[in-house]
Amino acid sequence: MNKQEQVRDMVIRILENKKHVGGIRRVVWVGAGGSNGGNYPAQYFMEHEAALIASSSYTSSEFVRATPRYVDENTLVVAVSMRGTAETIAAAEVARELGAATVGVYVDESRLTDVCEYKVQYGSLAVDETDMGETNSAVVTMIAMELVQQTEGYAEYDSAMAAFGLIDPIYRKAVAYTAPLAEAWAQQNADKPCINVMAQGPLYGAAYVFSICNIQEMLQIDSCTINTCDFFHGPFEILDKRTSLFQLISVGRSRANDERGVRFLGRYGGDRVYQLDAKELGLNDIKDSVSEYFNHLVFSPILNNVYMRALSRVTHKDYMTRRYMWKLAY
């Protein structure tokens, strides 16, 4: 059974098991750090395609401390953690106590997979051999698409399922294409105290993960995540010829928002403005009607495995070294 078949079977079982109480009416995506950011494409898909199931996304601790009142037996909670983060386990426990169906999405088995009724394993995007069509973001997006298909029908379902098989080949070609570009970008920005990352729409989650996990956590360089639409409502005041700003450009309905940013940065930015376009990475190989939902799945591993690693080499910072994480009680 491949990953898509596994997810399809699981979603069918969840819906069947909840039929006697009125089915699933809400889904909540829960995670911490990169897992939280990695849930973004699933939430984005649900917001734009689901009419019958409401969707929301929470950091694990938020969910535990301020649990939404609507969480009940008609809720599906998808909890994502590579190895069983304590806050995410607690979130799954709260969800089960309230009667929600729970899915653990994981790399290594842990207390999380014991707590959750259902589980799906994923491959870490940081491992070069991983099929990038089966990462955490891919799995949660599959779950979202399957939920919509099984409850109300998704007209582009077949095209979307086929697209998961295109992600890894697109990623491999994009690695070769971006490797020299990333080296040049890293050399240009190695001495900057702050690297801003800007995106919107389907790529905002990838920008957020790049900022908080790759640049701040792994390399201990300050970084700010900016929404490209809100750039024009405040953040553009920091822009001058010295500003380091990395812009992600999406394919999809809101691409015009990215292009507006491109025009402004081209006029007022300097040499340390860098733009990475989904079309350059090969996302136009995916059918236009679904490509919007696959931006994150290509960008996130490229940013982690190519751009972050290039900056690590140039700055001579070991991206596996931490100041606090895994070392202190927090």
Side-chain angles (χ1 to χ4, degrees), residues 227-297:
N227 186 299
T228 309
C229 300
D230 270 345
F231 177 69
F232 298 97
H233 300 277
F236 65 172
E237 294 298 341
I238 59 105
L239 185 68
D240 59 29
K241 298 299 182 183
R242 301 164 296 172
T243 306
S244 176
L245 194 151
F246 193 123
Q247 183 188 7
L248 313 184
I249 304 167
S250 64
V251 293
R253 289 167 290 180
S254 61
R255 182 180 170 89
N257 294 326
D258 297 318
E259 292 171 341
R260 181 188 181 195
V262 169
R263 289 191 297 272
F264 191 90
L265 295 174
R267 184 172 181 181
Y268 298 107
D271 293 339
R272 297 191 189 191
V273 166
Y274 184 84
Q275 285 141 336
L276 188 60
D277 194 325
K279 290 185 177 181
E280 296 177 53
L281 297 187
L283 271 148
N284 50 351
D285 290 350
I286 297 174
K287 190 178 177 182
D288 289 347
S289 57
V290 299
S291 59
E292 178 174 358
Y293 301 122
F294 292 88
N295 281 280
H296 183 113
L297 276 60

Side-chain angles (χ1 to χ4, degrees), residues 29 38-47 55 137 140-142 144:
W29 313 95
N39 285 337
Y40 187 88
Q43 170 67 10
Y44 184 86
F45 173 84
M46 294 297 295
E47 286 176 340
S55 180
S137 295
V140 295
T141 304
M142 282 181 203

